[in-house]
Amino acid sequence: MKILHIDTGKGWRGGQQQVFNLHLELTRAGVDSHLITQRGGELLRRSEGAGLPVYGLPLLGEWDLYSALKIAGRLKRGGFTHLHLHSSHAQGIGVLAAMLSGFRNVIATRRVDFEPKSGVLNRIKYGGRIKRFVAISEAIKAILLAFGVPEEKISLVNSGVDPDRIKPGSGNPFRGELGISEGALLIGNISALTDHKGQRYFIEAIPQILLKAPEARFVIVGSGELEEALKAQAAGLGLNDALTFTGFRSDVDEIMDALDIFVMSSHMEGLGTIVMDALAASKPVVATQAGGIPEIIGEDRGAGLLVPPKDPAAIADAVLELIEDEGLAVSLAAAGRKRVVDKFSAKAMMEGNLALYRELDYG
């Protein structure tokens, strides 16, 4: 068995973390796993740093003929048994490479919870060249079914995280950087600053939280097209002293450790692996009932507090409940970590994909 993975993301978001986790765990399990990703990208850098087999290509857009030809050559000569595509653009390039090389054993993982657009090109991407689709949540599976993908071509494999990656105490320097005193509450969100992540609803909730918890501090970690708009919103609400925007940070594990409460404010979400990271780090979580997030949390108050999407008042009420009821916060944090260890580990995610590779045999 020899697997070729393709991911086109240049930055570092949840999808790239999942590809890295899968590549690493497969290699640890003795599987011959190889990765093609974008030149100069963070996934390339981290994979090289971990000593994993990785190659850089331009991967420009979803129908990059040059990259497709290069990949087709590897498929013809490299002895690969499976081609696993991990992003929408990778799906376009990978399908084209498979058509050029005659390769048939193609798998595509879908992580985003909006329906693919109709059109000829997407019908090619989601057509017969893909042997199996991997949905990372039941919510994603439902979207693929609605688009017309036959159920027998869909396998459910949840994303997973390393439950021991975030080290207790590693966040102390970040708290010092922000001037957070010992015992003060730090409440935060770590996500790309895009519309579907819903940070504007978190920001709108902050004044309501401050009315009852005036010493609380807040942080939003990430970059994206809405950064300036969100900063303007915060300034308009007079939050300059209470809320910090960090921009992109490479030390998100340490920042997660620094938090006392994690808030996930998305109104669309394929699954939400950053929520898994927060639970694994034993953080009390307030999260929206969006996409696959409830599949992580389980029933409300099982491993976190669930609130409706786009509802700042509900976010504020849930955060205040955790602040005011320390026993609830502690019990949810413990239940959340147990849930990730039992159900959403990176090793479990690797084993789910490996079972699929074996089911599809060697092409």
Side-chain angles (χ1 to χ4, degrees), residues 169-205:
S170 62
N172 291 336
F174 181 74
R175 291 179 69 93
E177 178 184 328
L178 295 188
I180 306 292
S181 61
E182 186 175 350
L185 286 171
L186 182 60
I187 302 162
N189 170 276
I190 304 172
S191 293
L193 305 188
T194 58
D195 177 77
H196 72 278
K197 296 295 184 181
Q199 285 94 348
R200 58 180 168 173
Y201 307 107
F202 176 40
I203 294 170
E204 193 174 335

Side-chain angles (χ1 to χ4, degrees), residues 125-189:
K125 284 171 60 176
Y126 288 86
R129 185 59 61 168
I130 305 293
K131 198 168 187 178
R132 188 68 58 88
F133 291 89
V134 174
I136 64 168
S137 66
E138 291 286 357
I140 299 295
K141 181 179 179 180
I143 287 167
L144 288 170
L145 289 170
F147 189 66
V149 177
E151 186 166 13
E152 63 270 17
K153 290 188 67 174
I154 304 172
S155 294
L156 178 66
V157 181
N158 293 133
S159 299
V161 299
D162 178 354
D164 298 316
R165 194 182 76 241
I166 298 171
K167 306 302 180 186
S170 62
N172 291 336
F174 181 74
R175 291 179 69 93
E177 178 184 328
L178 295 188
I180 306 292
S181 61
E182 186 175 350
L185 286 171
L186 182 60
I187 302 162
N189 170 276

Side-chain angles (χ1 to χ4, degrees), residues 177-181 184-188 202 210 213-219 240-244 259-260:
E177 178 184 328
L178 295 188
I180 306 292
S181 61
L185 286 171
L186 182 60
I187 302 162
F202 176 40
L210 288 171
E215 301 304 315
R217 292 282 301 276
F218 302 83
V219 65
N240 289 341
D241 293 333
L243 172 60
T244 299
L259 299 180
D260 296 294

Side-chain angles (χ1 to χ4, degrees), residues 36-352:
I36 291 176
T37 188
Q38 197 169 98
R39 285 177 185 163
E42 188 68 12
L43 180 55
L44 179 71
R45 185 186 72 79
R46 297 195 190 201
S47 297
E48 288 177 336
L52 299 172
V54 61
Y55 320 96
L57 283 176
L59 301 176
L60 303 174
E62 59 184 335
W63 302 104
D64 178 354
L65 181 59
Y66 172 81
S67 295
L69 285 167
K70 289 290 186 181
I71 294 166
R74 286 187 180 273
L75 292 172
K76 287 179 179 178
R77 299 186 298 272
F80 291 100
T81 58
H82 303 73
L83 174 64
H84 195 159
L85 312 173
H86 292 276
S87 64
S88 178
H89 284 184
Q91 199 170 322
I93 294 171
V95 165
L96 184 55
M99 293 170 67
L100 291 169
S101 63
F103 196 85
R104 304 295 309 184
N105 215 13
V106 184
I107 302 156
T109 291
R110 184 164 179 86
R111 307 183 192 280
V112 292
D113 72 335
F114 51 85
E115 188 171 328
K117 296 178 180 178
S118 60
V120 174
L121 294 181
N122 262 359
R123 289 299 170 186
I124 294 172
K125 284 171 60 176
Y126 288 86
R129 185 59 61 168
I130 305 293
K131 198 168 187 178
R132 188 68 58 88
F133 291 89
V134 174
I136 64 168
S137 66
E138 291 286 357
I140 299 295
K141 181 179 179 180
I143 287 167
L144 288 170
L145 289 170
F147 189 66
V149 177
E151 186 166 13
E152 63 270 17
K153 290 188 67 174
I154 304 172
S155 294
L156 178 66
V157 181
N158 293 133
S159 299
V161 299
D162 178 354
D164 298 316
R165 194 182 76 241
I166 298 171
K167 306 302 180 186
S170 62
N172 291 336
F174 181 74
R175 291 179 69 93
E177 178 184 328
L178 295 188
I180 306 292
S181 61
E182 186 175 350
L185 286 171
L186 182 60
I187 302 162
N189 170 276
I190 304 172
S191 293
L193 305 188
T194 58
D195 177 77
H196 72 278
K197 296 295 184 181
Q199 285 94 348
R200 58 180 168 173
Y201 307 107
F202 176 40
I203 294 170
E204 193 174 335
I206 291 175
Q208 301 173 60
I209 299 169
L210 288 171
L211 288 174
K212 293 187 177 181
E215 301 304 315
R217 292 282 301 276
F218 302 83
V219 65
I220 292 178
V221 180
S223 60
E225 63 265 25
L226 293 184
E227 185 168 354
E228 294 307 314
L230 293 172
K231 287 179 177 178
Q233 179 192 3
L237 292 171
L239 299 178
N240 289 341
D241 293 333
L243 172 60
T244 299
F245 290 86
T246 70
F248 173 80
R249 297 280 295 231
S250 60
D251 57 344
V252 292
D253 290 353
E254 291 77 12
I255 293 173
M256 182 65 81
D257 178 68
L259 299 180
D260 296 294
I261 297 173
F262 180 79
V263 176
M264 191 65 171
S265 51
S266 301
H267 60 85
M268 298 176 68
E269 194 67 55
L271 189 58
T273 53
I274 193 68
V275 176
M276 297 179 192
D277 285 328
L279 296 176
S282 299
K283 303 300 173 184
V285 169
V286 172
T288 50
Q289 295 163 317
I293 293 174
E295 297 173 44
I296 301 174
I297 299 295
E299 62 183 26
D300 186 28
R301 298 174 182 270
L305 298 184
L306 290 170
V307 299
K310 301 183 179 182
D311 192 337
I315 293 173
D317 288 344
V319 169
L320 287 169
E321 185 175 3
L322 291 175
I323 293 173
E324 294 165 359
D325 189 341
E326 185 177 351
L328 175 64
V330 170
S331 66
L332 288 177
R337 174 165 173 80
K338 184 178 188 303
R339 185 165 173 82
V340 171
V341 170
D342 291 348
K343 186 175 175 62
F344 295 108
S345 71
K347 186 176 181 182
M349 179 267 291
M350 179 276 290
E351 289 172 345

